[in-house]
Amino acid sequence: MLHANVRVSGKPQVNEGIHLTVSTSSTLLPAVVRPTADTLHWLSADHDAGPVLDLLDALGWAIGDTPEANVHATSPDGCVYVGWLPEDPSAWQRNIVWHVRVQPADGDAWVQEFGLHTPSEAVAGFLAALVTNSSC
């Protein structure tokens, strides 16, 4: 059983000397997972837009492609644009293949770009976090 004396910043408190009993079931605590070196498989770029486009399609985004094989997607509310630009010369000059532009309803626009060697699963994870926490 754990006991704790309550004290903040070294100053005596009104409740000093009260012992708090802390108990919890071990089934409520998260399991610690430590993968072994031979089970680690780090993502690497496969130059496939599939994971991102599948996510955006499932979210109901408008998706269009160009004859050059670039893909452009816009969120249903119009606040976010995602471009997959493998054939865009200006993207090549910046050494990027993914371009994300966000225009929040109540803030300044911002841009995030990802290079050719960024795994599409990582870009999909970024976008999933973005739309999950969106206030647009």
Side-chain angles (χ1 to χ4, degrees), residues 33-43:
V33 178
R34 290 189 172 83
T36 61
D38 60 336
T39 62
L40 290 177
H41 298 285
W42 296 103
L43 294 175

Side-chain angles (χ1 to χ4, degrees), residues 28-80:
L28 297 176
L29 299 174
V32 176
V33 178
R34 290 189 172 83
T36 61
D38 60 336
T39 62
L40 290 177
H41 298 285
W42 296 103
L43 294 175
S44 63
D46 58 6
H47 312 295
D48 175 22
V52 173
L53 300 179
D54 291 345
L55 170 68
L56 300 181
D57 184 49
L59 293 171
W61 288 40
I63 301 173
D65 58 355
T66 67
E68 297 82 24
N70 295 313
V71 179
H72 305 277
T74 306
S75 63
D77 60 10
C79 291
V80 182

Side-chain angles (χ1 to χ4, degrees), residues 22-30:
V22 178
S23 64
T24 187
S25 167
S26 62
T27 60
L28 297 176
L29 299 174

Side-chain angles (χ1 to χ4, degrees), residues 1 49 54 68-69 79 101-102 115 119 121 128:
M1 198 173 310
D54 291 345
E68 297 82 24
C79 291
R101 184 175 58 248
V102 180
E121 294 87 352

